[in-house]
Amino acid sequence: YMKKSRFSEAQMVGILKEVEMGAKVGETCRKHGISEPTYYKCKSQFSGMKVSHLAQLRQLQDENTKLKRMYADLALMHHALKDVVDRKL
């Protein structure tokens, strides 16, 4: 379980853009009520992204999660069926 961010991804991209436009990191962080480590963590995640890219990224992450879950289910079934076949032989 991870703590939910107070800011949406779009808001964080806006804060990053603000600093890219020339604002100082410390002042911007104080203005928005975030810590500098949080700023740099978000910068590493969302640097150079636009809001439209975020929607696409979220969609791809959701699809990836779905595919991983499907793979795990199929792998579990495969191992179960393999055990049944091995016991009969």
Side-chain angles (χ1 to χ4, degrees):
Y1 175 73
M2 291 183 61
K3 182 179 175 184
K4 182 171 167 47
S5 175
R6 291 186 321 180
F7 298 98
S8 70
E9 294 166 339
Q11 288 173 320
M12 287 308 300
V13 168
I15 293 170
L16 293 173
K17 293 285 183 201
E18 192 174 320
V19 173
E20 285 178 14
M21 298 295 284
K24 293 185 179 181
V25 173
E27 292 174 9
T28 305
C29 289
R30 265 187 253 100
K31 176 181 165 186
H32 294 286
I34 61 172
S35 66
E36 288 190 32
T38 300
Y39 168 81
Y40 288 111
K41 180 181 172 195
C42 291
K43 183 178 178 184
S44 70
Q45 282 183 316
F46 304 123
S47 181
M49 292 186 115
K50 296 180 181 176
V51 177
S52 61
H53 291 137
L54 288 175
Q56 185 178 15
L57 176 66
R58 176 65 56 208
Q59 181 183 11
L60 290 172
Q61 287 174 336
D62 291 343
E63 184 178 354
N64 193 28
T65 301
K66 180 181 164 185
L67 291 172
K68 284 181 179 181
R69 191 171 292 128
M70 286 173 51
Y71 172 77
D73 291 342
L74 288 173
L76 185 63
M77 265 199 287
H78 173 73
H79 288 297
L81 290 171
K82 195 173 181 182
D83 287 343
V84 168
V85 168
D86 288 343
R87 288 182 190 164
K88 287 188 178 186
L89 296 177

